[in-house]
Amino acid sequence: MTNIKKISIAGAGTMGSSMAETFAKYGYEVTLFDIFEEALAKAERLIEINQKTEVAEGLVSENKSKELMGRIKYTADMGNLADADIVIEAILEKIEVKHDFWRKLSKQVNKDVILASNTSGLSITNIAQVVERPERFAGMHWINPPHIIPLIEVIKGEKTSDETTAAVYALAEAVDKKPVIVKDAPGFALNRIQLAILRECLYIVEEGIATPEDVDRVMKYALGVRYACLGPFEVSDHGGLDIFYNIASYLFEDLCDEKKPFGLLAEAFDRGQYGVKSQRGFYDYSDGKDEESIMYRDQMYTKVSKCLFGES
Ligand SMILES: NC(=O)c1ccc[n+]([C@@H]2O[C@H](COP(=O)([O-])OP(=O)(O)OC[C@H]3O[C@@H](n4cnc5c(N)ncnc54)[C@H](O)[C@@H]3O)[C@@H](O)[C@H]2O)c1
């Protein structure tokens, strides 16, 4: 299996830009590709802003930060992706767009090059249908913002070889991430858990049990603190499985099992209120509150991550 030194990333949006920055931080030569020149310019600016925060937080020296940024090449020419040991795709989350990209790309690259998609939930087995030599293709699901959040889900499609899975896993560890190997199921593991939580939170509000603000407080001031340190199985072991068994016996049947988006989520969606990016979601982000909120998020994630893992 290839010894990974050069990395190509397709899609210079929210995820691709921050993934490029992460690899460059660890000394990899990175080529970042996008079909739009303006996306590349935006990615370069975003990486500079992220780097300012990292320098200010003492996570990287000013010199190292400059060196890191110098290791990223920006290109709108797909042909430049081929000169790499791994190509990671973070383009639009539409199966036809991903199929089109992978059909072309997998023919362009050398047969030993590892291929990975950062899809949030599309089937790796499905994407792999158009990939030449699909055994070298896996999912590599980063979590936003990728340069801060430690988890990476490595998804093994039906045809993904053990060797490919191991190589993607090793690459994640090489940039100090905490990978997990997950079967190719809808939502993988993270989004199944995340959406189960969101569904119950929406239901709690719908049933008048608590307000959105108080639901957020329950998560931030209790469950979030616990889960930053121990997972649900560990938390249950500490609480006592007899206790959790008894609670589950009467509570499971009362929990939400809705099969479609509903409540506040569906209402906001219908109004075109998509959250921070449209300055209105469950909360208001107008008059500069959008940027304030993003800065607050990144500072807090960085602090927590630094505290728990010694670095972002
Ligand atoms: N945003 C998240 O929180 C998040 C988290 C995990 C995974 N993902 C996944 O990562 C991928 C990218 O998401 P994002 O949030 O960065 O999206 P984004 O919209 O910010 O960026 C996507 C970029 O891909 C470019 N692009 C589109 N088609 C392309 C093509 N054929 N070739 C090259 N570039 C192309 C676009 O110009 C854009 O710059 C998606 O599959 C998404 O589901 C997103």
Side-chain angles (χ1 to χ4, degrees):
M1 185 53 71
T2 20
N3 183 12
I4 296 172
K5 291 196 179 69
K6 287 186 184 172
I7 296 177
S8 283
I9 296 175
T14 311
M15 300 303 287
S17 54
S18 167
M19 287 152 60
E21 178 184 353
T22 307
F23 285 125
K25 183 175 177 180
Y26 286 82
Y28 292 94
E29 294 297 325
V30 183
T31 300
L32 185 56
F33 160 72
D34 203 287
I35 40 174
F36 296 114
E37 293 279 358
E38 63 262 38
L40 293 167
K42 200 171 153 199
E44 199 165 357
R45 270 200 314 281
L46 187 71
I47 292 171
E48 277 168 19
I49 293 169
N50 289 344
Q51 279 305 301
K52 272 195 188 142
T53 312
E54 295 232 333
V55 170
E57 287 285 333
L59 293 165
V60 64
S61 71
E62 213 156 336
N63 273 350
K64 288 245 182 276
S65 175
K66 277 202 189 110
E67 276 172 32
L68 166 175
M69 289 191 277
R71 279 195 284 273
I72 306 172
K73 290 194 204 86
Y74 298 85
T75 182
D77 177 355
M78 193 168 163
N80 291 333
L81 284 177
D83 181 26
D85 304 308
I86 181 167
V87 179
I88 308 171
E89 164 271 309
I91 66 174
L92 209 63
E93 184 78 346
K94 287 223 162 104
I95 191 69
E96 59 277 15
V97 177
K98 302 233 192 244
H99 272 163
D100 187 48
F101 172 82
W102 281 115
R103 191 177 290 114
K104 285 186 204 139
L105 192 277
S106 63
K107 285 196 181 74
Q108 264 176 31
V109 294
N110 181 303
K111 65 179 176 35
D112 292 332
V113 175
I114 299 166
L115 309 172
S117 174
N118 182 47
T119 177
S120 301
L122 295 173
S123 159
I124 293 301
T125 304
N126 183 345
I127 301 176
Q129 282 173 1
V130 301
V131 174
E132 213 162 86
R133 297 173 62 90
E135 64 279 6
R136 60 179 167 159
F137 180 75
M140 188 181 198
H141 180 219
W142 298 58
I143 318 304
N144 193 29
H147 64 288
I148 300 177
I149 303 292
L151 182 80
I152 289 181
E153 290 183 307
V154 179
I155 297 107
K156 201 170 179 323
E158 270 171 27
K159 297 202 168 149
T160 311
S161 70
D162 289 345
E163 217 184 359
T164 301
T165 310
V168 175
Y169 191 97
L171 178 64
E173 283 195 316
V175 292
D176 281 338
K177 294 295 182 190
K178 312 283 183 200
V180 292
I181 297 174
V182 185
K183 202 175 112 180
D184 189 15
F188 312 134
L190 181 135
N191 273 320
R192 294 183 82 96
I193 298 169
Q194 178 163 250
L195 272 289
I197 291 171
L198 180 61
R199 178 167 66 179
E200 190 56 37
C201 293
L202 291 166
Y203 188 63
I204 288 170
V205 173
E206 194 81 350
E207 291 291 294
I209 298 166
T211 62
E213 290 78 7
D214 283 341
V215 168
D216 279 349
R217 287 169 73 88
V218 169
M219 283 304 289
K220 287 191 290 191
Y221 302 130
L223 296 176
V225 177
R226 275 185 176 172
Y227 290 150
C229 310
L230 301 177
F233 291 108
E234 292 167 320
V235 165
S236 307
D237 270 350
H238 281 271
L241 297 191
D242 51 335
I243 309 286
F244 276 88
Y245 181 90
N246 287 336
I247 299 174
S249 307
Y250 65 79
L251 197 54
F252 272 7
E253 64 179 320
D254 206 56
L255 298 181
C256 185
D257 60 359
E258 215 22 89
K259 299 289 180 206
K260 294 256 157 51
F262 67 100
L264 287 185
L265 178 64
E267 289 158 24
F269 178 81
D270 288 342
R271 285 196 294 266
Q273 293 174 341
Y274 299 153
V276 177
K277 64 178 158 190
S278 63
Q279 301 198 334
R280 177 82 224 181
F282 298 127
Y283 297 103
D284 172 39
Y285 301 98
S286 58
D287 303 324
K289 290 196 278 295
D290 50 349
E291 287 194 3
E292 267 170 42
S293 177
I294 292 170
M295 274 173 63
Y296 172 80
R297 177 199 68 175
D298 285 357
Q299 274 169 8
M300 295 306 272
Y301 282 179
T302 304
K303 278 188 208 305
V304 171
S305 201
K306 232 164 103 176
C307 176
L308 290 169
F309 310 112
E311 58 193 36
S312 71

